[in-house]
Amino acid sequence: MPVLLNAGVWQRIVDRVSALGDDETTDACGRVMEELLLLERTEVVGAIRGADHYQTLWERQRA
């Protein structure tokens, strides 16, 4: 999601959607971005820890 934010894409989406709605619409966009960031973080942590739906290139030696 940082790519969307840093590239300005997210702001353009928010501007476009807000033009069609009201303050609640703008607030909803903020909540959506917070949820996307949380989901992204969860996936990154899962990838690092080797969650079931990820394939690892190497595995830690089990003691």
Side-chain angles (χ1 to χ4, degrees):
M1 292 314 112
V3 172
L4 288 176
L5 294 171
N6 293 337
V9 174
W10 182 252
Q11 189 58 52
R12 291 190 64 160
I13 292 170
V14 171
D15 291 346
R16 170 78 53 95
V17 171
S18 296
L20 301 173
D22 54 13
D23 289 339
E24 177 58 33
T25 306
T26 305
D27 293 343
C29 289
R31 289 190 301 274
V32 166
M33 179 50 72
E34 288 174 7
E35 184 176 352
L36 287 172
L37 290 169
L38 178 62
L39 290 169
E40 180 184 49
R41 176 157 173 70
T42 301
E43 285 300 310
V44 169
V45 169
I48 291 169
R49 292 184 174 172
D52 292 335
H53 58 281
Y54 287 101
Q55 258 186 327
T56 59
L57 298 175
W58 63 90
E59 290 189 26
R60 180 184 301 174
Q61 295 285 333
R62 306 255 184 227

